[in-house]
C-alpha cells in the first residue's frame, strides 16, 4: 500500500480534523502517502473528474488544528446508495485508480458505516473511523 484517501462524511462535528491528522501521521510513519478527498462521498463519486487532491505532507498535516470543529476535507450528506447511477462503484474505482489510491479511511456516523460496508463488498479497501 502506497497511497490512501481520507474522507469525512455526514455532518460536521468535533474530532474530524483529529481523524484526518491522526490517519495522515500514521500513514506517514508507515511510508504511505495520504491524500484528502474533498466533500465526503460526493467527492469520492466525483473523484475521477477532479484535477488534483491535497497531499498531506508532514508540513500540511502540522497546519491541521484538531481543536477546531469541522473538517479540513469538507463533507457532504450524499449517500452512495442514493446516487442514481448503475455504474457508481465502477466510477469510484476509476477515480481511485486515477489518483493511485489503494485504500480509504472514512470518518462518519452510522450512515457512513453502511456505505463503508457497500464499498468493501465491491472490493474497495476501506476502514471506518466512527464519529
Amino acid at each position: 500500500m502506497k497511497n490512501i484517501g481520507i474522507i469525512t462524511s455526514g455532518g460536521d462535528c468535533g474530532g474530524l480534523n483529529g481523524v484526518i491528522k491522526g490517519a495522515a501521521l500514521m500513514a506517514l510513519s508507515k511510508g504511505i502517502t495520504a491524500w484528502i478527498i474533498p466533500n465526503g462521498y460526493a467527492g469520492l463519486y466525483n473523484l475521477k473528474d477532479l484535477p488534483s487532491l491535497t497531499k498531506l505532507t508532514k508540513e500540511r498535516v502540522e497546519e491541521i488544528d484538531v481543536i477546531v470543529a469541522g473538517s479540513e476535507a469538507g463533507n457532504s450528506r450524499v449517500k452512495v446508495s442514493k446516487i442514481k447511477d448503475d455504474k457508481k462503484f465502477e466510477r469510484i474505482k476509476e477515480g481511485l485508480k486515477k489518483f493511485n489510491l489503494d485504500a480509504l479511511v472514512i470518518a462518519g456516523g452510522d450512515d457512513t458505516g453502511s456505505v463503508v460496508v457497500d464499498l468493501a463488498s465491491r472490493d474497495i479497501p476501506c476502514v471506518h473511523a466512527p464519529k
Side-chain angles (χ1 to χ4, degrees), residues 9-128:
S9 179
D12 277 341
C13 73
L16 292 175
N17 283 331
V19 170
I20 295 168
K21 190 168 191 165
L25 288 173
M26 180 58 73
L28 286 168
S29 77
K30 302 291 184 189
I32 298 169
T33 303
W35 303 83
I36 287 178
I37 297 176
N39 303 318
Y41 286 131
L44 181 62
Y45 177 75
N46 292 308
L47 190 58
K48 75 177 219 163
D49 299 326
L50 296 178
S52 64
L53 297 176
T54 299
K55 183 177 182 178
L56 291 169
T57 63
K58 184 178 179 197
E59 295 76 25
R60 178 64 180 91
V61 171
E62 287 174 1
E63 296 173 7
I64 298 173
D65 188 348
V66 298
I67 308 265
V68 175
S71 168
E72 289 274 328
N75 58 330
S76 68
R77 290 182 125 1
V78 169
K79 292 178 79 171
V80 173
S81 63
K82 302 281 184 184
I83 296 173
K84 294 180 180 179
D85 176 357
D86 293 337
K87 299 190 182 261
K88 60 188 159 218
F89 293 103
E90 289 79 12
R91 179 180 169 90
I92 289 169
K93 287 178 183 180
E94 288 172 21
L96 295 172
K97 185 175 181 180
K98 175 182 176 178
F99 290 104
N100 297 311
L101 297 175
D102 303 307
L104 301 169
V105 174
I106 306 170
D110 291 341
D111 287 340
T112 297
S114 67
V115 177
V116 169
V117 171
D118 288 344
L119 294 170
S121 72
R122 287 166 176 83
D123 299 322
I124 299 171
C126 50
V127 296
H128 181 208

